[in-house]
Amino acid sequence: MDTKKIVGENIRLYIDSVGRNNQWVINKTGIPRATFYNLLNGEGDLSKGIEKLNELFGIKDPFYFFTEDLQLPQTLKEKQRKAEFRNLVAAEGEEKEFQKTLDILSDFIKMIELLRPYENLS
């Protein structure tokens, strides 16, 4: 698949996963409507649009949308499910300690996901 098409599809998936819509992104970034839809279709100059999207969503990696195996953020439903699980499992008085443990586990999982692309370098 063409790189520009991959970028367009990744942007579409990302916007959906964070629970936003195209109009919201257009309004927040100031990207002209036609330019934004060209971006989603993998057409035209991607660089300025990608910069604005990265800034809007706080994405530090300038090549985030260019990868074929994009790691999407958690959806709102997934975050709510985790919060419900925490509330269910955490006993009164132990909630802070439980939350700390879950945060450490979450950080560890993120580190593993970041290192996964490098496992076959040897």
Side-chain angles (χ1 to χ4, degrees):
M1 186 185 284
D2 177 36
T3 301
K4 287 185 172 186
K5 298 288 184 195
I6 292 170
V7 169
E9 183 61 23
N10 284 345
I11 292 169
R12 191 181 314 276
L13 292 170
Y14 186 91
I15 291 169
D16 185 52
S17 77
V18 296
R20 298 297 181 178
N21 61 44
N22 294 343
Q23 189 58 52
W24 183 87
V25 174
I26 290 167
N27 292 343
K28 292 291 185 181
T29 60
I31 298 172
R33 181 181 212 74
T35 303
F36 178 76
Y37 283 101
N38 282 343
L39 188 64
L40 290 182
N41 292 323
E43 299 169 356
D45 181 18
L46 305 178
S47 60
K48 289 182 184 178
I50 295 291
E51 284 178 28
K52 289 182 178 186
L53 290 171
N54 286 348
E55 185 178 327
L56 173 65
F57 292 114
I59 298 169
K60 307 246 185 296
D61 180 1
F63 300 105
Y64 176 76
F65 290 110
F66 288 83
T67 181
E68 285 190 53
D69 58 341
L70 183 69
Q71 298 295 316
L72 294 170
Q74 293 178 339
T75 64
L76 187 56
K77 271 188 179 174
E78 289 170 331
K79 289 179 183 178
Q80 287 172 336
R81 239 185 335 208
K82 279 187 178 180
E84 288 169 3
F85 176 74
R86 285 183 193 135
N87 292 337
L88 179 67
V89 174
E92 272 187 45
E94 298 177 4
E95 191 170 330
K96 287 183 182 177
E97 193 63 34
F98 180 72
Q99 181 60 48
K100 239 197 292 189
T101 303
L102 286 178
D103 290 341
I104 291 168
L105 180 60
S106 177
D107 289 344
F108 184 71
I109 291 169
K110 286 177 186 173
M111 287 189 323
I112 290 171
E113 289 174 352
L114 284 171
L115 294 172
R116 186 170 290 146
Y118 301 102
E119 70 185 349
N120 296 325
L121 290 180
S122 57

